[in-house]
Amino acid sequence: MTPSFGSRLRSAMDERGPLCVGIDPHAALLDSWGLTDDIAGLERFTFTVVEALAGTVAVFKPQAAFFERFGSRGVAVLERAVSDLRAAGGLVVMDAKRGDIGSTMAAYAEAFLRKESPLFSDALTVSPYLGYGSSSRPSTWPARPAPASSSSR
């Protein structure tokens, strides 16, 4: 059985300290680093942070929207960052603040909390804006089976 997020967090903090690093590559931050607000700037910023801190910080919290704003290429950068961070032993809390009806929340869970997903994260920020039902069952999300793959692609 996989240890709970809480126990993995405790272990990571005991080993690496209590720091959580946000990875929020918004336009002003990229500019302040002397980077362009495009996919090249996003990649340089992201992987500079990953390479500098992945082996020493307990938790990373990438803000999904700052990657999604670049479309599939930005999501690909996020996927690689998540993979690299987890491979280095860091925990990833995906800062996506998702909140919607049950079926949509289940899809978000598959995207961010299913082990086979390229965006698999240790935890996900959610927003209960649509009411209790939009975040009432997050503890059951990782247990959902992977969707059937389509052979018609």
Side-chain angles (χ1 to χ4, degrees):
M1 183 170 155
T2 302
S4 70
F5 174 72
S7 63
R8 288 182 287 134
L9 177 61
R10 176 78 270 155
S11 294
M13 290 184 350
D14 288 347
E15 182 181 319
R16 298 180 178 200
L19 185 61
C20 175
V21 172
I23 304 177
D24 298 8
H26 54 80
L29 182 59
L30 295 177
D31 183 60
S32 73
W33 277 44
L35 300 171
T36 53
D37 185 25
D38 58 16
I39 198 70
L42 176 72
E43 287 177 319
R44 181 136 184 234
F45 173 84
T46 301
F47 295 112
T48 297
V49 171
V50 169
E51 290 167 16
L53 301 174
T56 59
V57 173
V59 182
F60 295 86
K61 188 169 69 73
Q63 173 38 263
F66 292 124
F67 294 86
E68 293 167 344
R69 69 192 183 106
F70 293 104
S72 62
R73 292 173 62 202
V75 172
V77 171
L78 180 59
E79 288 176 355
R80 185 173 145 215
V82 167
S83 177
D84 291 356
L85 292 166
R86 291 183 47 78
L91 297 180
V92 175
V93 175
M94 185 61 66
D95 191 3
K97 295 181 186 76
R98 302 299 199 239
D100 210 316
I101 63 171
S103 60
T104 304
M105 290 305 291
Y108 287 135
E110 289 177 15
F112 295 109
L113 299 174
R114 187 173 38 90
K115 287 188 192 288
E116 301 83 13
S117 172
L119 288 170
F120 175 64
S121 302
D122 296 281
L124 172 68
T125 61
V126 296
S127 173
Y129 183 73
L130 291 177
Y132 178 75
S134 68
S135 61
S136 65
R137 298 181 300 150
S139 64
T140 65
W141 292 347
R144 291 188 178 277
S149 61
S150 173
S151 59
S152 63
R153 286 189 171 192

